[in-house]
Amino acid sequence: MNIHCNVMIIGGEGDLAFRKLYPALYNLDCENLLSESTKIIAFGRGKFSSSEFLEKVYTWIEKSEYTHSIQETTWLRFKERLVPFVGDATNADSYAALKDQLSDQEFVIYLSTPPSIFSPICQALDKAKLVREDTRIVVEKPLGESRSSFDQINNHVRAVFDERQIYRIDHYLGKETVQNLLALRFANVLFEPLWNRNYIDHVQITVAEQVGAGGRWPFYDQAGALRDMVQNHLLQLLCLVSMEPPAKNKPDFVRDEKLKVLRCLKPISAHDVNHVTVRGQYAAGNINQEAVVAYSQEADSATDKSSTESFVAIKAEIENSRWQDVPFYLRTGKRLRERYSEIVIQFKPVVHRLFDASAGRLTDNQLIIRLQPNEGIEMKLVNKVPGLTEQTRLQSVGLDLSFDAVFDEHRSPSAYERLLLDVIRSDQTLFMRSDELRAAWDWVDGIIDGWQSTAQSVSRYSAGSWGPSESVDLLANDRRRWFDYGEQ
Ligand code: BG6
């Protein structure tokens, strides 16, 4: 049964709302997952007239890679739900006209605004008496730039909302393949017995992007790849790969296990930071045969004095009995050769090699979890090459479970569809709890302190490459190498 619940997007004329939120809500409507009476209040500053607003919503739904095609009937139904509303979200009086529509109903408030105004918005909502026991609030990253600024933002939201009402989004957790990680690990008998230091050599987590900082340059320059990507997306992936089985598939059981992992991350001290982390910034180069400019020239406010990292690679270690001495190599960067996100679990070699080297060059077993593009799972196994040759020849072959091949006519919902639906259903499993964020910031703060105290340099890499050469060295020092896209 669909829950009757209104959705109010504060920052309803912003980029995120158009690019992600309206298309996601539209798709939920197509799947008949919104209740008949659900209204979507687009709270904005009045940048657009009603017709311009609707046109923009339509255009972005059409552009969304997750929407098949717009059905006229569904669009008309969806359009009726949209209520553009102009006001100052930090002023309680602005909400007066909405009160009748909202105060006696369940509703979700999505703060798609900078965190600097979370506090006055929450106070205004409270003063306008719009916050009920069952009101949910969704907050978007960046949630702070350090542990202490996170605490500040969090305290402001917590002054009005209980933890059970707060949904902190990390959109990576809404991706299909990320949720599939839990099924893969805990619904198959095959992997769990091998999922530890006895059988796994190391894990690689790569989130590579082709886009640059672009229009977000001023914001990005304050953040850098470590805060923008590692503190949240990559650490959440690391948690799901490495956590212990939760006792139940329920929000706090899952979040408790993730928290334990974060608390077991070996702190990276100033003494180690140069050995286990690499920072890079893109220089000019070519991507898909198109010339792109350097980070330092990408925006009007850009300057070559910036030492912000657009690439980071880290050797992370989890100090517990399951993962002792198993490195987790993390890397993420902008303006890299390909856009892809993958987790590679590299297994150890068989203990006794029955076949000698002349049988073929063997890659030890690998499990590749592909988040994007071509989401799916691939298992690398060693096979005999068919034939009558006297000597057995072996070859590494991929057992490919790409979602497109396995699930007929499936449509992978966007991360925001999953997450918005979960908020409507009051399910916090895929949202971050404040103690998780605090633990993640503690670890990241340690790295930032190390970079500052050692004045670690930022290496340049050409746009369209796989990052600075020091990133290759990071693994080569351990006699390992990165598995770049399509090269395994
Ligand atoms: C966001 C970061 O959280 O994730 C962006 O702020 C990044 O810098 C984006 O581009 C990547 O998301 P996706 O889903 O495109 O991999």
Side-chain angles (χ1 to χ4, degrees), residues 20 66 140-141 170-172 175 207-209 211-212 216 219-220 228-229 232-233 334 339 341 372 415-416:
K20 304 283 184 188
Y66 296 96
E140 265 288 339
K141 68 185 270 283
D170 182 319
H171 78 278
Y172 265 62
K175 293 185 191 266
V207 177
E209 298 188 275
V211 292
R216 294 165 76 225
F219 154 76
Y220 190 84
D228 185 46
M229 298 294 286
N232 35 76
H233 307 325
K334 294 203 182 288
R339 173 186 186 241
S341 303
Q372 60 197 25
Y416 280 92

PDB file of all heavy atoms in Angstrom, residues 20 66 140-141 170-172 175 207-209 211-212 216 219-220 228-229 232-233 334 339 341 372 415-416, ligand 1:
ATOM      1  N   LYS A  20      18.057  15.387 -10.437  1.00  0.00           N
ATOM      2  CA  LYS A  20      17.889  14.075  -9.796  1.00  0.00           C
ATOM      3  C   LYS A  20      16.520  13.867  -9.140  1.00  0.00           C
ATOM      4  O   LYS A  20      15.939  12.793  -9.253  1.00  0.00           O
ATOM      5  CB  LYS A  20      18.956  13.888  -8.694  1.00  0.00           C
ATOM      6  CG  LYS A  20      20.385  14.044  -9.149  1.00  0.00           C
ATOM      7  CD  LYS A  20      20.869  12.829  -9.882  1.00  0.00           C
ATOM      8  CE  LYS A  20      22.329  12.959 -10.234  1.00  0.00           C
ATOM      9  NZ  LYS A  20      22.830  11.924 -11.082  1.00  0.00           N
ATOM     10  N   TYR A  66      17.601   7.329 -16.587  1.00  0.00           N
ATOM     11  CA  TYR A  66      16.830   6.258 -15.950  1.00  0.00           C
ATOM     12  C   TYR A  66      15.383   6.190 -16.428  1.00  0.00           C
ATOM     13  O   TYR A  66      14.679   5.246 -16.152  1.00  0.00           O
ATOM     14  CB  TYR A  66      16.845   6.437 -14.425  1.00  0.00           C
ATOM     15  CG  TYR A  66      18.231   6.301 -13.873  1.00  0.00           C
ATOM     16  CD1 TYR A  66      19.022   7.426 -13.641  1.00  0.00           C
ATOM     17  CD2 TYR A  66      18.779   5.038 -13.630  1.00  0.00           C
ATOM     18  CE1 TYR A  66      20.317   7.290 -13.160  1.00  0.00           C
ATOM     19  CE2 TYR A  66      20.067   4.907 -13.164  1.00  0.00           C
ATOM     20  CZ  TYR A  66      20.832   6.038 -12.933  1.00  0.00           C
ATOM     21  OH  TYR A  66      22.106   5.903 -12.467  1.00  0.00           O
ATOM     22  N   GLU A 140      21.471  16.591   2.503  1.00  0.00           N
ATOM     23  CA  GLU A 140      22.430  16.221   1.454  1.00  0.00           C
ATOM     24  C   GLU A 140      23.833  16.579   1.898  1.00  0.00           C
ATOM     25  O   GLU A 140      24.029  17.555   2.634  1.00  0.00           O
ATOM     26  CB  GLU A 140      22.137  17.065   0.211  1.00  0.00           C
ATOM     27  CG  GLU A 140      21.260  16.413  -0.808  1.00  0.00           C
ATOM     28  CD  GLU A 140      21.953  15.296  -1.571  1.00  0.00           C
ATOM     29  OE1 GLU A 140      23.202  15.249  -1.611  1.00  0.00           O
ATOM     30  OE2 GLU A 140      21.223  14.467  -2.138  1.00  0.00           O
ATOM     31  N   LYS A 141      24.812  15.878   1.422  1.00  0.00           N
ATOM     32  CA  LYS A 141      26.184  16.280   1.622  1.00  0.00           C
ATOM     33  C   LYS A 141      26.474  17.566   0.849  1.00  0.00           C
ATOM     34  O   LYS A 141      25.727  17.836  -0.092  1.00  0.00           O
ATOM     35  CB  LYS A 141      27.137  15.152   1.225  1.00  0.00           C
ATOM     36  CG  LYS A 141      27.147  14.853  -0.279  1.00  0.00           C
ATOM     37  CD  LYS A 141      27.991  13.683  -0.574  1.00  0.00           C
ATOM     38  CE  LYS A 141      29.419  14.084  -0.834  1.00  0.00           C
ATOM     39  NZ  LYS A 141      29.665  14.663  -2.162  1.00  0.00           N
ATOM     40  N   ASP A 170      23.625   9.430   1.239  1.00  0.00           N
ATOM     41  CA  ASP A 170      24.833   9.179   0.467  1.00  0.00           C
ATOM     42  C   ASP A 170      24.312   8.434  -0.753  1.00  0.00           C
ATOM     43  O   ASP A 170      23.940   7.259  -0.639  1.00  0.00           O
ATOM     44  CB  ASP A 170      25.819   8.297   1.243  1.00  0.00           C
ATOM     45  CG  ASP A 170      27.085   8.078   0.439  1.00  0.00           C
ATOM     46  OD1 ASP A 170      26.983   7.874  -0.780  1.00  0.00           O
ATOM     47  OD2 ASP A 170      28.178   8.123   1.023  1.00  0.00           O
ATOM     48  N   HIS A 171      24.249   9.103  -1.898  1.00  0.00           N
ATOM     49  CA  HIS A 171      23.506   8.483  -2.998  1.00  0.00           C
ATOM     50  C   HIS A 171      24.150   7.185  -3.485  1.00  0.00           C
ATOM     51  O   HIS A 171      23.497   6.381  -4.128  1.00  0.00           O
ATOM     52  CB  HIS A 171      23.261   9.482  -4.143  1.00  0.00           C
ATOM     53  CG  HIS A 171      24.434   9.736  -5.027  1.00  0.00           C
ATOM     54  ND1 HIS A 171      25.432  10.606  -4.700  1.00  0.00           N
ATOM     55  CD2 HIS A 171      24.780   9.216  -6.231  1.00  0.00           C
ATOM     56  CE1 HIS A 171      26.330  10.632  -5.673  1.00  0.00           C
ATOM     57  NE2 HIS A 171      25.963   9.790  -6.617  1.00  0.00           N
ATOM     58  N   TYR A 172      25.419   6.948  -3.121  1.00  0.00           N
ATOM     59  CA  TYR A 172      26.029   5.672  -3.512  1.00  0.00           C
ATOM     60  C   TYR A 172      25.303   4.485  -2.886  1.00  0.00           C
ATOM     61  O   TYR A 172      25.245   3.411  -3.454  1.00  0.00           O
ATOM     62  CB  TYR A 172      27.534   5.652  -3.180  1.00  0.00           C
ATOM     63  CG  TYR A 172      28.322   6.051  -4.402  1.00  0.00           C
ATOM     64  CD1 TYR A 172      28.147   7.313  -4.953  1.00  0.00           C
ATOM     65  CD2 TYR A 172      29.184   5.167  -5.051  1.00  0.00           C
ATOM     66  CE1 TYR A 172      28.794   7.691  -6.107  1.00  0.00           C
ATOM     67  CE2 TYR A 172      29.840   5.524  -6.205  1.00  0.00           C
ATOM     68  CZ  TYR A 172      29.639   6.791  -6.729  1.00  0.00           C
ATOM     69  OH  TYR A 172      30.278   7.150  -7.891  1.00  0.00           O
ATOM     70  N   LYS A 175      22.503   2.999  -5.026  1.00  0.00           N
ATOM     71  CA  LYS A 175      22.775   2.335  -6.313  1.00  0.00           C
ATOM     72  C   LYS A 175      22.459   0.847  -6.187  1.00  0.00           C
ATOM     73  O   LYS A 175      22.792   0.227  -5.181  1.00  0.00           O
ATOM     74  CB  LYS A 175      24.226   2.548  -6.744  1.00  0.00           C
ATOM     75  CG  LYS A 175      24.525   4.011  -7.094  1.00  0.00           C
ATOM     76  CD  LYS A 175      25.928   4.188  -7.643  1.00  0.00           C
ATOM     77  CE  LYS A 175      26.319   5.644  -7.747  1.00  0.00           C
ATOM     78  NZ  LYS A 175      26.089   6.262  -9.039  1.00  0.00           N
ATOM     79  N   VAL A 207      36.571   4.787  -7.926  1.00  0.00           N
ATOM     80  CA  VAL A 207      35.472   5.592  -8.466  1.00  0.00           C
ATOM     81  C   VAL A 207      36.121   6.641  -9.363  1.00  0.00           C
ATOM     82  O   VAL A 207      36.700   7.618  -8.883  1.00  0.00           O
ATOM     83  CB  VAL A 207      34.628   6.256  -7.357  1.00  0.00           C
ATOM     84  CG1 VAL A 207      33.537   7.143  -7.979  1.00  0.00           C
ATOM     85  CG2 VAL A 207      33.987   5.205  -6.453  1.00  0.00           C
ATOM     86  N   ALA A 208      36.096   6.362 -10.657  1.00  0.00           N
ATOM     87  CA  ALA A 208      36.781   7.234 -11.618  1.00  0.00           C
ATOM     88  C   ALA A 208      35.746   8.049 -12.377  1.00  0.00           C
ATOM     89  O   ALA A 208      34.712   7.529 -12.779  1.00  0.00           O
ATOM     90  CB  ALA A 208      37.587   6.383 -12.593  1.00  0.00           C
ATOM     91  N   GLU A 209      36.054   9.314 -12.568  1.00  0.00           N
ATOM     92  CA  GLU A 209      35.119  10.191 -13.289  1.00  0.00           C
ATOM     93  C   GLU A 209      35.834  10.864 -14.453  1.00  0.00           C
ATOM     94  O   GLU A 209      37.045  11.113 -14.381  1.00  0.00           O
ATOM     95  CB  GLU A 209      34.609  11.290 -12.360  1.00  0.00           C
ATOM     96  CG  GLU A 209      33.837  10.791 -11.168  1.00  0.00           C
ATOM     97  CD  GLU A 209      33.208  11.961 -10.431  1.00  0.00           C
ATOM     98  OE1 GLU A 209      33.890  12.564  -9.586  1.00  0.00           O
ATOM     99  OE2 GLU A 209      32.056  12.276 -10.729  1.00  0.00           O
ATOM    100  N   VAL A 211      34.317  13.747 -15.684  1.00  0.00           N
ATOM    101  CA  VAL A 211      33.976  15.170 -15.529  1.00  0.00           C
ATOM    102  C   VAL A 211      35.039  15.869 -14.684  1.00  0.00           C
ATOM    103  O   VAL A 211      35.750  15.228 -13.895  1.00  0.00           O
ATOM    104  CB  VAL A 211      32.603  15.365 -14.845  1.00  0.00           C
ATOM    105  CG1 VAL A 211      31.469  14.910 -15.733  1.00  0.00           C
ATOM    106  CG2 VAL A 211      32.554  14.691 -13.482  1.00  0.00           C
ATOM    107  N   GLY A 212      35.111  17.180 -14.840  1.00  0.00           N
ATOM    108  CA  GLY A 212      36.011  17.965 -13.993  1.00  0.00           C
ATOM    109  C   GLY A 212      35.210  18.670 -12.911  1.00  0.00           C
ATOM    110  O   GLY A 212      34.017  18.402 -12.743  1.00  0.00           O
ATOM    111  N   ARG A 216      31.222  23.748 -10.435  1.00  0.00           N
ATOM    112  CA  ARG A 216      31.274  23.665  -8.959  1.00  0.00           C
ATOM    113  C   ARG A 216      32.658  24.040  -8.429  1.00  0.00           C
ATOM    114  O   ARG A 216      32.970  23.771  -7.276  1.00  0.00           O
ATOM    115  CB  ARG A 216      30.953  22.239  -8.519  1.00  0.00           C
ATOM    116  CG  ARG A 216      29.532  21.790  -8.812  1.00  0.00           C
ATOM    117  CD  ARG A 216      29.441  20.293  -8.678  1.00  0.00           C
ATOM    118  NE  ARG A 216      29.413  19.811  -7.304  1.00  0.00           N
ATOM    119  CZ  ARG A 216      30.125  18.775  -6.856  1.00  0.00           C
ATOM    120  NH1 ARG A 216      30.939  18.130  -7.659  1.00  0.00           N
ATOM    121  NH2 ARG A 216      30.023  18.388  -5.613  1.00  0.00           N
ATOM    122  N   PHE A 219      33.212  25.613  -4.900  1.00  0.00           N
ATOM    123  CA  PHE A 219      32.896  24.679  -3.814  1.00  0.00           C
ATOM    124  C   PHE A 219      33.950  23.563  -3.761  1.00  0.00           C
ATOM    125  O   PHE A 219      34.501  23.242  -2.712  1.00  0.00           O
ATOM    126  CB  PHE A 219      31.503  24.053  -4.015  1.00  0.00           C
ATOM    127  CG  PHE A 219      31.369  22.715  -3.352  1.00  0.00           C
ATOM    128  CD1 PHE A 219      31.202  22.632  -1.970  1.00  0.00           C
ATOM    129  CD2 PHE A 219      31.467  21.525  -4.078  1.00  0.00           C
ATOM    130  CE1 PHE A 219      31.136  21.395  -1.327  1.00  0.00           C
ATOM    131  CE2 PHE A 219      31.404  20.282  -3.445  1.00  0.00           C
ATOM    132  CZ  PHE A 219      31.235  20.224  -2.075  1.00  0.00           C
ATOM    133  N   TYR A 220      34.224  23.001  -4.940  1.00  0.00           N
ATOM    134  CA  TYR A 220      35.115  21.845  -4.985  1.00  0.00           C
ATOM    135  C   TYR A 220      36.505  22.204  -4.460  1.00  0.00           C
ATOM    136  O   TYR A 220      37.154  21.399  -3.790  1.00  0.00           O
ATOM    137  CB  TYR A 220      35.205  21.319  -6.428  1.00  0.00           C
ATOM    138  CG  TYR A 220      35.912  19.999  -6.508  1.00  0.00           C
ATOM    139  CD1 TYR A 220      35.231  18.810  -6.275  1.00  0.00           C
ATOM    140  CD2 TYR A 220      37.280  19.926  -6.771  1.00  0.00           C
ATOM    141  CE1 TYR A 220      35.876  17.593  -6.301  1.00  0.00           C
ATOM    142  CE2 TYR A 220      37.937  18.713  -6.802  1.00  0.00           C
ATOM    143  CZ  TYR A 220      37.230  17.556  -6.574  1.00  0.00           C
ATOM    144  OH  TYR A 220      37.880  16.349  -6.580  1.00  0.00           O
ATOM    145  N   ASP A 228      35.106  15.212  -0.688  1.00  0.00           N
ATOM    146  CA  ASP A 228      33.947  15.117  -1.582  1.00  0.00           C
ATOM    147  C   ASP A 228      33.556  13.665  -1.858  1.00  0.00           C
ATOM    148  O   ASP A 228      32.375  13.363  -2.017  1.00  0.00           O
ATOM    149  CB  ASP A 228      34.298  15.836  -2.904  1.00  0.00           C
ATOM    150  CG  ASP A 228      33.126  15.918  -3.869  1.00  0.00           C
ATOM    151  OD1 ASP A 228      32.019  16.270  -3.412  1.00  0.00           O
ATOM    152  OD2 ASP A 228      33.303  15.640  -5.073  1.00  0.00           O
ATOM    153  N   MET A 229      34.522  12.777  -1.931  1.00  0.00           N
ATOM    154  CA  MET A 229      34.228  11.404  -2.362  1.00  0.00           C
ATOM    155  C   MET A 229      34.616  10.328  -1.351  1.00  0.00           C
ATOM    156  O   MET A 229      33.877   9.371  -1.145  1.00  0.00           O
ATOM    157  CB  MET A 229      34.973  11.105  -3.680  1.00  0.00           C
ATOM    158  CG  MET A 229      34.582  11.956  -4.843  1.00  0.00           C
ATOM    159  SD  MET A 229      32.884  11.712  -5.407  1.00  0.00           S
ATOM    160  CE  MET A 229      32.986  10.125  -6.221  1.00  0.00           C
ATOM    161  N   ASN A 232      32.717   9.908   2.232  1.00  0.00           N
ATOM    162  CA  ASN A 232      31.363   9.357   2.186  1.00  0.00           C
ATOM    163  C   ASN A 232      31.294   8.135   1.274  1.00  0.00           C
ATOM    164  O   ASN A 232      31.307   7.002   1.756  1.00  0.00           O
ATOM    165  CB  ASN A 232      30.383  10.452   1.763  1.00  0.00           C
ATOM    166  CG  ASN A 232      31.046  11.399   0.749  1.00  0.00           C
ATOM    167  OD1 ASN A 232      31.187  11.045  -0.407  1.00  0.00           O
ATOM    168  ND2 ASN A 232      31.477  12.560   1.195  1.00  0.00           N
ATOM    169  N   HIS A 233      31.272   8.364  -0.045  1.00  0.00           N
ATOM    170  CA  HIS A 233      30.999   7.260  -0.971  1.00  0.00           C
ATOM    171  C   HIS A 233      31.987   6.094  -0.823  1.00  0.00           C
ATOM    172  O   HIS A 233      31.597   4.941  -0.686  1.00  0.00           O
ATOM    173  CB  HIS A 233      31.032   7.738  -2.422  1.00  0.00           C
ATOM    174  CG  HIS A 233      30.141   8.914  -2.702  1.00  0.00           C
ATOM    175  ND1 HIS A 233      28.939   9.097  -2.087  1.00  0.00           N
ATOM    176  CD2 HIS A 233      30.279   9.971  -3.546  1.00  0.00           C
ATOM    177  CE1 HIS A 233      28.368  10.211  -2.529  1.00  0.00           C
ATOM    178  NE2 HIS A 233      29.175  10.759  -3.417  1.00  0.00           N
ATOM    179  N   LYS A 334      38.885  13.002 -10.691  1.00  0.00           N
ATOM    180  CA  LYS A 334      38.142  13.611 -11.792  1.00  0.00           C
ATOM    181  C   LYS A 334      39.071  13.700 -13.003  1.00  0.00           C
ATOM    182  O   LYS A 334      40.284  13.672 -12.865  1.00  0.00           O
ATOM    183  CB  LYS A 334      37.663  15.008 -11.399  1.00  0.00           C
ATOM    184  CG  LYS A 334      36.626  14.959 -10.271  1.00  0.00           C
ATOM    185  CD  LYS A 334      35.768  16.192 -10.241  1.00  0.00           C
ATOM    186  CE  LYS A 334      34.776  16.178  -9.095  1.00  0.00           C
ATOM    187  NZ  LYS A 334      33.677  15.244  -9.258  1.00  0.00           N
ATOM    188  N   ARG A 339      34.865   6.813 -17.161  1.00  0.00           N
ATOM    189  CA  ARG A 339      33.980   6.952 -16.008  1.00  0.00           C
ATOM    190  C   ARG A 339      33.593   5.532 -15.601  1.00  0.00           C
ATOM    191  O   ARG A 339      32.922   4.810 -16.347  1.00  0.00           O
ATOM    192  CB  ARG A 339      32.721   7.723 -16.404  1.00  0.00           C
ATOM    193  CG  ARG A 339      31.704   7.727 -15.281  1.00  0.00           C
ATOM    194  CD  ARG A 339      30.385   8.368 -15.685  1.00  0.00           C
ATOM    195  NE  ARG A 339      29.500   8.470 -14.528  1.00  0.00           N
ATOM    196  CZ  ARG A 339      28.320   7.872 -14.454  1.00  0.00           C
ATOM    197  NH1 ARG A 339      27.866   7.130 -15.441  1.00  0.00           N
ATOM    198  NH2 ARG A 339      27.578   8.010 -13.357  1.00  0.00           N
ATOM    199  N   SER A 341      33.024   2.855 -11.866  1.00  0.00           N
ATOM    200  CA  SER A 341      33.179   2.579 -10.433  1.00  0.00           C
ATOM    201  C   SER A 341      33.163   1.072 -10.252  1.00  0.00           C
ATOM    202  O   SER A 341      32.239   0.407 -10.725  1.00  0.00           O
ATOM    203  CB  SER A 341      32.024   3.164  -9.625  1.00  0.00           C
ATOM    204  OG  SER A 341      31.919   4.532  -9.849  1.00  0.00           O
ATOM    205  N   GLN A 372      29.132   1.033 -12.049  1.00  0.00           N
ATOM    206  CA  GLN A 372      28.751   1.777 -13.246  1.00  0.00           C
ATOM    207  C   GLN A 372      29.949   1.894 -14.165  1.00  0.00           C
ATOM    208  O   GLN A 372      31.072   1.935 -13.655  1.00  0.00           O
ATOM    209  CB  GLN A 372      28.215   3.171 -12.897  1.00  0.00           C
ATOM    210  CG  GLN A 372      29.219   4.041 -12.157  1.00  0.00           C
ATOM    211  CD  GLN A 372      28.597   5.236 -11.466  1.00  0.00           C
ATOM    212  OE1 GLN A 372      27.440   5.236 -11.118  1.00  0.00           O
ATOM    213  NE2 GLN A 372      29.385   6.260 -11.238  1.00  0.00           N
ATOM    214  N   ALA A 415      19.557   5.914  -8.023  1.00  0.00           N
ATOM    215  CA  ALA A 415      19.804   5.881  -6.580  1.00  0.00           C
ATOM    216  C   ALA A 415      18.770   6.729  -5.845  1.00  0.00           C
ATOM    217  O   ALA A 415      18.269   6.358  -4.783  1.00  0.00           O
ATOM    218  CB  ALA A 415      21.203   6.402  -6.303  1.00  0.00           C
ATOM    219  N   TYR A 416      18.422   7.874  -6.427  1.00  0.00           N
ATOM    220  CA  TYR A 416      17.501   8.778  -5.740  1.00  0.00           C
ATOM    221  C   TYR A 416      16.084   8.203  -5.671  1.00  0.00           C
ATOM    222  O   TYR A 416      15.348   8.492  -4.744  1.00  0.00           O
ATOM    223  CB  TYR A 416      17.515  10.161  -6.396  1.00  0.00           C
ATOM    224  CG  TYR A 416      18.713  10.956  -5.930  1.00  0.00           C
ATOM    225  CD1 TYR A 416      19.910  10.933  -6.629  1.00  0.00           C
ATOM    226  CD2 TYR A 416      18.666  11.689  -4.753  1.00  0.00           C
ATOM    227  CE1 TYR A 416      21.016  11.632  -6.186  1.00  0.00           C
ATOM    228  CE2 TYR A 416      19.764  12.395  -4.292  1.00  0.00           C
ATOM    229  CZ  TYR A 416      20.943  12.363  -5.011  1.00  0.00           C
ATOM    230  OH  TYR A 416      22.039  13.047  -4.558  1.00  0.00           O
TER     231      TYR A 416
HETATM  232  C1  BG6 B   1      28.949  13.582  -5.675  1.00  0.00           C
HETATM  233  C2  BG6 B   1      30.210  14.405  -5.714  1.00  0.00           C
HETATM  234  O1  BG6 B   1      28.645  13.227  -4.354  1.00  0.00           O
HETATM  235  O2  BG6 B   1      29.137  12.394  -6.438  1.00  0.00           O
HETATM  236  C3  BG6 B   1      30.562  14.758  -7.142  1.00  0.00           C
HETATM  237  O3  BG6 B   1      29.995  15.604  -4.973  1.00  0.00           O
HETATM  238  C4  BG6 B   1      30.653  13.493  -7.983  1.00  0.00           C
HETATM  239  O4  BG6 B   1      31.797  15.465  -7.202  1.00  0.00           O
HETATM  240  C5  BG6 B   1      29.397  12.643  -7.820  1.00  0.00           C
HETATM  241  O5  BG6 B   1      30.787  13.897  -9.339  1.00  0.00           O
HETATM  242  C6  BG6 B   1      29.576  11.297  -8.496  1.00  0.00           C
HETATM  243  O6  BG6 B   1      28.358  10.596  -8.489  1.00  0.00           O
HETATM  244  P1  BG6 B   1      28.021   9.490  -9.589  1.00  0.00           P
HETATM  245  O7  BG6 B   1      26.741   8.888  -9.141  1.00  0.00           O
HETATM  246  O8  BG6 B   1      27.931  10.239 -10.894  1.00  0.00           O
HETATM  247  O9  BG6 B   1      29.165   8.532  -9.589  1.00  0.00           O
END
